[in-house]
Amino acid sequence: MEPILLDLTPAVDPDPRLHEVKTTDADPALPADHRRLICLRLHWEAARDDAPFVHPAEVIAALATDDVHWTRDDLIWSLRVLAGETGRDDGSPWRLPVIIGAALPPEELRDLVPAFEAVLDAVKTSYLAVRVRHSLSQAYGAVLDRIDPGGLGHVLPADDVFDAAVQESLRPLLTDAGMRAVLRHAESLAKPVPAKGWLRRADDLRGAAGVVNPLLERFCAYQGSVGEDTDLLVRGLIWFAARDPESTALLARVAVRAGTASSEVQAPRTAAAAVEILADRGGDAPVRALVRLALTVRSKPLLARVRAAVARIESARGWAAGEALELGIDDHGLDAEGRRCWPVPGSVLVEVVDGRARLVVMRDGRPLKRVPADVDVAEARALVKEITKTLAAERDRVESLLSQERSWAWADWVARYLDHPITGSVADRLIWQSSVDGRAWRAGIPRREADGGWRLVDEAGNDFEPAGGRVRLWHPALAAPGEAARWRDHIGVEELRQPFKQAFREVYPLTPAEASSRTSSRRFAGHILRYRQANALMRTRGWAASYLGTWDQGHRTEASKDLGGGEWRALLVHEAAGEADYQVVYCILGEVRFTRRAGGAWQDAPLTEVPVRVFSEAMRDVDLFVGVTSIAADEAWQDRGTSRFRAYRESAGFGALTASAEVRRDVLARLLPRLSIGPRCELTERYLRVRGQRGTYRIHLGSANILIEPDDTYLCIVPDHKRKPAVHLPFDDDRVLSLILSKAILLAADDTITDPTIVAQLPAVPPPP
């Protein structure tokens, strides 16, 4: 018998009475043969979206009880009817064939395997709701298991992680009936935490669970996007793996893979389940995985789940709030010096230097410029990537401490911050404060002694060791008058590079106008930002917000960020200010408000009650959004601008300096005397004035926009953001400062500029004297 495939061949009615029955007469009390006819008629109507019921599938399921006698002709007809299926989102057209297939003996179905597989593939790639698609996939897969126990196409999701090549490589495992039973049971899990009955069945199948670990390893190694069907399957698989007490390391890798992504969570169901499993496990691996997720996840629901899991671990282990984030930082096998070596020909070394991971190949005691062909560095390169990710996350975590009132005992701080090979590379370049009595605090930068111990060195170069006291992270907003300036001098003289702005950090004290407004600040209201860039920067800085759009209620939203260890929340209102092709192109900033945690809710707080650290850090972020994404700083504005925003751009692009621009001015004042272009530069209230050979230029310290004297002609120089000036800066996180220096170096030698788009805008070369 030839296999029957789905096509557009007209289906022959299996019963002449088919079109005589009325589906509105459906009643489970009718005779079985009558119910059979109604089911067939409903199937035909559902495929054409003509069924009189909201959910025809539910009616079919109620009528198609065990006493209905189905025929092979019924099945063939119902499969062919699917060729004209119109795509009802409740899956009704797909239900009857699988009901009939489950009722007929397998020997009558073997030639129909291609047809069932074609239907299953169509189901898996359809736009049905996840719940409906998952249920249908399970049902069709069960029928195919009865017909062809050795088949592969219906065992795993059809694409992404488990593509055809992967399934073929796993054939010895997947053709085993017990292994397939494990997969079917894994797919049946409906919630992040299974019921006891589901777990009992999983225990019964554990003898056949050899397929679980290979599939999870494949999931961890896969780099592409993950579909919903794969997410559902892997969620069940990790609960199988969780029954093995030795699986913690694998589960930790699955959690990180599922929950970490460049934008949204890749596999949210798997990530949620993995978090629940890890929260109840002992050892360091679960803590490290959850810490990594807590620092990298952008999904608010998953982040809330991760934080709750971390809190459960802290409570169970008797740790203080926040300790898990410190104790769970992965050291990646680095020694106390921040190094790891491989004894291959010569030697391969991975080390952390100045907050960066690097790979070094040594031979005869000297580093090589190139990796020799006989040296395998694949493992070392992979380690460098992992360390780089951990360093970035740890830098962000330590920076977040600036908004917290947090302190440590000296010994605990040394162990967790200075002696840790990852955290230490961030902490040993920062300013910390120590106190023995909790009232008088003295600031210093850590320095390792010859005996391996640590001391602090103050801004005057005097060292001290407050053993037995407390330590906290220094913030310039709480510094004594003149203290921040002395630290800036010290860092400049020592040519230190801090992992983030600290000594040169902008400070935002509460203004009288803000205090009188009581609950909202409009300090940055009215600024117009390039929306896509602004939204991306908000997310990078840990702010969460629904996306602005042209749909109903999509014109206005609030971005929010938790500060102060999660006890405070800043809210930034912004609205759509311009659209193109149904996309929001610009947004305009509104007020900034603060709320504080009150049990499980958030309450509005007067600005006068917001801690200084919290207020300053929130306003610094908003200033950053303005400085980086405002249309006032858009070099190409003249090419694609709109006159509607011209007044704002002119006022903001050359207006009074914000706090970040004031700090920029301070850095330049200390830096320029040491540069070769220093004699050609002058700092004014708002500008860096540069004298070139062809003209004199003023670079605005807030926007980096350029005016040519004496007529204030605008000079457009589109920057190359990949290039950085060869100038030592005390921090890395001010793109505008780097841009100002690059422009100043370029314009100081304007007679050597060859770019025709710039030369055309410059003054004429002055005649020789």
Side-chain angles (χ1 to χ4, degrees):
M1 186 180 296
E2 291 293 323
I4 296 176
L5 303 176
L6 290 182
D7 56 31
L8 296 179
T9 303
V12 177
D13 294 343
D15 193 302
R17 301 170 295 165
L18 174 62
H19 296 286
E20 298 175 3
V21 298
K22 295 181 179 180
T23 53
T24 53
D25 294 336
D27 188 338
L30 291 170
D33 187 54
H34 198 157
R35 283 185 275 121
R36 166 182 162 270
L37 288 173
I38 293 177
C39 287
L40 293 172
R41 174 72 183 192
L42 267 176
H43 173 65
W44 185 83
E45 292 177 349
R48 285 150 182 78
D49 207 8
D50 283 337
F53 305 103
V54 176
H55 297 296
E58 296 178 359
V59 180
I60 291 174
L63 299 178
T65 52
D66 293 340
D67 60 336
V68 175
H69 176 68
W70 300 104
T71 69
R72 176 184 164 83
D73 287 342
D74 291 340
L75 177 57
I76 293 173
W77 176 86
S78 66
L79 287 170
R80 279 181 167 156
V81 165
L82 287 179
E85 195 271 319
T86 57
R88 284 181 61 103
D89 59 6
D90 64 350
S92 296
W94 312 89
R95 291 294 179 184
L96 187 60
V98 77
I99 291 174
I100 301 175
L104 293 176
E107 56 269 19
E108 293 188 25
L109 307 176
R110 290 197 174 93
D111 61 317
L112 299 178
V113 167
F116 272 104
E117 288 185 338
V119 174
L120 181 56
D121 286 343
V123 168
K124 288 184 174 181
T125 57
S126 69
Y127 292 98
L128 296 170
V130 176
R131 177 182 55 81
V132 175
R133 187 173 68 246
H134 183 54
S135 172
L136 286 168
S137 298
Q138 286 275 93
Y140 276 92
V143 171
L144 282 165
D145 275 347
R146 293 179 63 234
I147 306 171
D148 181 20
L152 293 181
H154 56 279
V155 177
L156 292 171
D159 51 12
D160 60 62
V161 181
F162 309 116
D163 57 23
V166 173
Q167 295 194 31
E168 185 61 31
S169 70
L170 296 171
R171 179 182 288 274
L173 291 175
L174 299 180
T175 53
D176 180 83
M179 300 293 185
R180 289 195 310 280
V182 168
L183 297 179
R184 297 295 176 217
H185 189 58
E187 288 181 320
S188 71
L189 182 60
K191 296 180 179 180
V193 179
K196 292 181 179 178
W198 192 97
L199 292 174
R200 284 194 296 269
R201 175 59 177 159
D203 288 336
D204 293 340
L205 294 170
R206 280 188 64 188
V211 72
V212 171
N213 285 12
L215 294 182
L216 292 181
E217 293 286 1
R218 168 64 185 169
F219 173 79
C220 291
Y222 185 71
Q223 298 299 314
S225 60
V226 176
E228 292 174 306
D229 294 315
T230 295
D231 188 11
L232 288 166
L233 172 64
V234 177
R235 176 174 67 179
L237 291 177
I238 63 173
W239 278 103
F240 268 98
R243 310 308 282 171
D244 177 6
E246 303 298 321
S247 65
T248 301
L250 175 58
L251 291 169
R253 294 202 305 276
V254 171
V256 172
R257 171 66 183 91
T260 304
S262 58
S263 54
E264 295 300 321
V265 178
Q266 285 282 323
R269 297 171 182 82
T270 297
V275 167
E276 295 301 321
I277 294 170
L278 293 173
D280 295 324
R281 294 214 153 193
D284 294 335
V287 180
R288 288 174 178 169
L290 292 173
V291 166
R292 181 167 175 179
L293 288 174
L295 297 175
T296 57
V297 163
R298 295 291 179 259
S299 164
K300 292 181 71 174
L302 180 58
L303 182 59
R305 187 182 291 272
V306 171
R307 287 176 174 170
V310 170
R312 280 162 53 191
I313 289 178
E314 289 174 337
S315 176
R317 302 189 186 188
W319 295 345
E323 281 195 87
L325 295 180
E326 298 167 356
L327 298 173
I329 305 301
D330 195 346
D331 61 14
H332 295 286
L334 301 178
D335 62 20
E337 301 299 322
R339 297 177 176 177
R340 182 176 170 184
C341 297
W342 285 262
V344 296
S347 63
V348 174
L349 169 69
V350 170
E351 61 180 354
V352 177
V353 179
D354 291 334
R356 290 179 172 85
R358 68 179 186 181
L359 168 65
V360 181
V361 178
M362 307 286 292
R363 184 158 288 179
D364 298 328
R366 293 182 300 177
L368 303 179
K369 293 183 178 180
R370 294 183 178 85
V371 178
D374 62 336
V375 178
D376 182 6
V377 295
E379 183 180 357
R381 289 191 192 281
L383 181 63
V384 169
K385 290 182 179 180
E386 290 302 310
I387 292 174
T388 299
K389 293 177 183 177
T390 304
L391 282 168
E394 188 64 345
R395 174 195 171 282
D396 290 344
R397 184 191 71 83
V398 176
E399 187 178 18
S400 73
L401 295 173
L402 286 167
S403 73
Q404 301 180 35
E405 298 292 338
R406 186 83 189 279
S407 67
W408 302 262
W410 170 267
D412 290 341
W413 173 71
V414 168
R416 299 176 191 178
Y417 282 80
L418 299 184
D419 287 341
H420 193 285
I422 299 295
T423 310
S425 68
V426 177
D428 64 5
R429 292 175 291 146
L430 294 173
I431 305 167
W432 301 82
Q433 287 181 300
S434 65
S435 175
V436 176
D437 58 10
R439 293 188 297 273
W441 294 85
R442 186 178 180 184
I445 293 179
R447 184 177 70 188
R448 186 186 288 275
E449 298 294 296
D451 60 0
W454 291 90
R455 299 178 70 80
L456 296 179
V457 180
D458 66 18
E459 69 270 31
N462 302 311
D463 64 315
F464 59 100
E465 178 187 348
R470 306 288 296 180
V471 181
R472 70 184 185 187
L473 189 59
W474 179 86
H475 195 297
L478 301 175
E483 185 181 359
R486 292 193 297 273
W487 272 115
R488 293 174 182 180
D489 290 338
H490 177 81
I491 287 175
V493 170
E494 297 294 329
E495 292 193 349
L496 299 177
R497 186 184 295 273
Q498 295 195 289
F500 50 79
K501 274 188 181 180
Q502 187 191 27
F504 288 88
R505 201 170 192 82
E506 304 86 353
V507 174
Y508 300 81
L510 187 69
T511 66
E514 289 168 331
S516 63
S517 70
R518 184 169 163 74
T519 59
S520 65
S521 166
R522 297 191 58 82
R523 184 182 304 203
F524 297 102
H527 279 283
I528 301 169
L529 313 184
R530 302 187 302 276
Y531 179 59
R532 291 185 63 183
Q533 292 89 339
N535 183 266
L537 184 56
M538 288 177 189
R539 293 176 184 274
T540 299
R541 293 294 300 171
W543 293 70
S546 57
Y547 209 77
L548 292 174
T550 56
W551 48 83
D552 186 35
Q553 305 299 318
H555 69 286
R556 185 180 187 274
T557 188
E558 284 185 340
S560 65
K561 180 178 182 178
D562 291 352
L563 298 159
E567 295 302 311
W568 289 86
R569 176 171 289 175
L571 303 167
L572 170 62
V573 175
H574 52 291
E575 301 179 357
E579 297 84 30
D581 297 328
Y582 303 102
Q583 298 289 324
V584 175
V585 180
Y586 308 110
C587 69
I588 184 169
L589 297 187
E591 64 184 21
V592 178
R593 297 183 295 106
F594 291 84
T595 58
R596 75 178 106 203
R597 189 182 295 277
W602 293 90
Q603 293 182 349
D604 289 337
L607 297 183
T608 53
E609 297 180 11
V610 179
V612 172
R613 289 173 177 262
V614 171
F615 184 85
S616 189
E617 289 301 299
M619 302 307 282
R620 179 180 185 270
D621 272 358
V622 181
D623 194 358
L624 176 66
F625 304 154
V626 173
V628 175
T629 69
S630 168
I631 63 173
D634 187 351
E635 290 286 351
W637 180 260
Q638 287 183 327
D639 296 331
R640 65 172 189 268
T642 170
S643 59
R644 186 157 62 98
F645 300 138
R646 183 176 298 159
Y648 163 76
R649 187 172 188 277
E650 291 177 354
S651 64
F654 301 99
L657 301 186
T658 63
S660 61
E662 291 285 1
V663 169
R664 217 167 281 140
R665 189 182 188 284
D666 190 14
V667 175
L668 289 170
R670 300 165 190 277
L671 189 62
L672 287 172
R674 303 203 302 269
L675 300 181
S676 60
I677 65 169
R680 308 192 69 83
C681 296
E682 174 191 359
L683 280 171
T684 65
E685 182 182 356
R686 300 182 185 180
Y687 297 91
L688 172 60
R689 190 167 179 265
V690 181
R691 288 183 293 106
Q693 300 297 328
R694 303 179 60 155
T696 300
Y697 312 90
R698 288 186 292 149
I699 307 174
H700 190 261
L701 299 176
S703 64
N705 290 335
I706 308 170
L707 297 175
I708 305 175
E709 295 184 354
D711 300 325
D712 286 348
T713 305
Y714 179 75
L715 172 60
C716 176
I717 299 179
V718 178
D720 180 359
H721 294 298
K722 295 181 180 179
R723 298 184 60 185
K724 293 184 178 181
V727 176
H728 174 83
L729 297 177
F731 45 79
D732 291 326
D733 53 351
D734 190 339
R735 184 184 66 83
V736 178
L737 175 59
S738 297
L739 184 58
I740 290 172
L741 282 169
S742 296
K743 290 181 176 181
I745 293 171
L746 179 70
L747 294 173
D750 58 356
D751 57 330
T752 65
I753 297 174
T754 58
D755 187 328
T757 61
I758 300 177
V759 172
Q761 304 175 69
L762 298 179
V765 178

